[in-house]
Amino acid sequence: MSRREMREQLFKLLFRVEFNPREELAQQEAFFFEDEENDTAEEENSEISEKFNKIIEKLDEIDGLLNAKVQGWDTARMGKVDLTILRLAVYEIMHDGEVPTGVAINEAVELAKKFGQDSSPSFVNGVLAKFA
């Protein structure tokens, strides 16, 4: 599985945060990996799970950073898809030394093109430019 495919799987898993209480996220993670559509190798599941849990640990910090950087918006007003993409990208920019900032931004824009609305790619790019 390519890094892009793994990032997409991580996005899909992270999207569940918007619809489930935090205390149920471990169960949601198990459901995610049981789904045939998300059937990947055990090693890849482990990597996705590890990164997911690291993002969850830093979710309040990431949301705080987003709220501080984006004028006129806050995380409560953002679309759920855009917010999930931004959370993933901000985590990669701020806490994942393996992902260069430019790559994190580019991949976030690609996710926005695939899963977001027409305005999502430019919104995501504009927000993440403040972190570059």
Side-chain angles (χ1 to χ4, degrees):
M1 174 181 289
S2 71
R3 284 186 162 282
R4 178 170 282 180
E5 291 168 329
M6 287 185 75
R7 187 176 282 108
E8 189 174 309
Q9 291 293 84
L10 182 56
F11 161 78
K12 290 177 184 177
L13 179 57
L14 192 57
F15 189 68
R16 293 174 182 229
V17 168
E18 290 302 308
F19 303 99
N20 298 284
R22 286 197 184 177
E23 55 273 4
E24 292 179 12
L25 290 178
Q27 184 179 16
Q28 287 298 317
E29 183 179 355
F31 290 153
F32 179 81
F33 290 116
E34 288 173 6
D35 190 339
E36 268 183 37
E37 180 181 313
N38 303 320
D39 188 29
T40 57
E42 186 64 35
E43 182 179 308
E44 292 163 340
N45 287 354
S46 177
E47 189 174 338
I48 292 167
S49 178
E50 182 180 330
K51 199 166 192 178
F52 171 73
N53 287 304
K54 286 180 180 178
I55 294 170
I56 297 305
E57 287 173 16
K58 302 218 177 272
L59 206 55
D60 292 332
E61 175 190 337
I62 292 167
D63 286 355
L65 289 168
L66 285 167
N67 288 328
K69 295 264 188 186
V70 184
Q71 294 178 338
W73 285 91
D74 64 26
T75 53
R77 287 187 56 220
M78 292 178 190
K80 294 182 183 331
V81 170
D82 294 347
L83 177 57
T84 302
I85 292 168
L86 289 169
R87 285 172 167 166
L88 175 55
V90 169
Y91 172 81
E92 288 182 336
I93 292 168
M94 305 299 289
H95 300 287
D96 190 338
E98 294 180 16
V99 181
T101 299
V103 172
I105 293 171
N106 183 57
E107 292 295 323
V109 170
E110 291 301 316
L111 283 171
K113 287 177 185 176
K114 185 169 185 175
F115 295 103
Q117 300 175 356
D118 291 340
S119 61
S120 293
S122 59
F123 177 71
V124 166
N125 191 48
V127 170
L128 294 177
K130 297 174 187 266
F131 288 89

